[in-house]
Amino acid sequence: MISWRIMARLPKCGRAIFSLGLFALVGGPVAAQLPARQFLDPVQELAAIKAASTLDDDPADAEAVQQVCTACHSSSQFLGTPRSSSRWEQVFGRMAQQGARPSDEQVDRIVRYFQRNLMVVNVNTSPDEELGPTLQTSPETTAAITLRRVQRKFTGIADLAAVPGVNRSVLEGLKDRIQF
Ligand code: HEC
């Protein structure tokens, strides 16, 4: 499910049709806000995006991110800076304004990549649809988490790991992105 409403609203345009050359020629405020344009090596970009993905095992997701999100700038713009769902939504909305036009399939893949690798969640406040994809829990386990936090707030990773169905190795990889 796509929780980034703005991305979901993007018009269906089939595959992204960015032309690096074209963007290099665009003058004005857009070009002025990015660092001086350098040649982006798609192979290197894909390698960096894959290397930053410890929790998404579908290589096609990384490929979609490379295709869409490195059309105008390097992946270093976004790798290594996890954000909350609403902050990513804002970024994606701005990228759409700048001209990002992913296909529906690319949107799904990009959303999954970001949810798994770059999303910050709060176990005690984030809604189900944000928690589930990031913690990689089933709907039942996600519901158990949200039920339990109403009774008693979670205090840390060990507390969360005790909920049946929670995958500890996923939690290990998420340590820096889980708030309580
Ligand atoms: C059509 C060109 C274009 C595409 C495609 C594009 N961006 Fe950008 N991006 C920009 C421009 C221009 C800026 C600098 C201006 C700005 O921040 O709005 C930028 C800046 C950013 C920033 C820094 C903003 C901040 O607040 O720190 C992030 C993060 C980012 N992009 C992420 C992405 C992601 C993720 C994708 C893929 C979904 C993407 N971009 C696709 C043009 C693009």
Side-chain angles (χ1 to χ4, degrees), residues 84-165:
S84 65
S85 177
S86 58
R87 296 272 318 283
W88 278 123
E89 200 174 298
Q90 285 167 10
V91 170
F92 279 40
R94 279 221 317 282
M95 296 310 116
Q97 280 168 7
Q98 300 285 3
R101 291 286 178 274
S103 68
D104 287 356
E105 194 204 333
Q106 285 173 323
V107 170
D108 288 349
R109 292 193 174 283
I110 293 167
V111 166
R112 190 165 52 215
Y113 181 95
F114 278 76
Q115 283 175 324
R116 293 196 167 189
N117 296 305
L118 287 164
M119 186 94 89
V120 176
V121 289
N122 185 309
V123 178
N124 289 312
T125 57
S126 294
D128 280 30
E129 62 269 24
E130 289 173 26
L131 276 185
T134 298
L135 301 178
Q136 300 192 36
T137 43
S138 68
E140 295 74 28
T141 303
T142 313
I145 293 170
T146 45
L147 202 70
R148 155 58 219 275
R149 75 187 186 190
V150 176
Q151 294 151 354
R152 195 159 44 89
K153 284 199 180 303
F154 287 97
T155 53
I157 294 276
D159 195 10
L160 178 60
V163 176

Side-chain angles (χ1 to χ4, degrees), residues 1 24 32 50 57 61 70 81-82 106 121 123 134 142 147 166 172:
M1 192 176 65
K50 281 188 174 155
D57 49 16
D61 293 349
T70 65
T81 50
Q106 285 173 323
V121 289
V123 178
T134 298
T142 313
L147 202 70
V166 170
E172 276 300 306

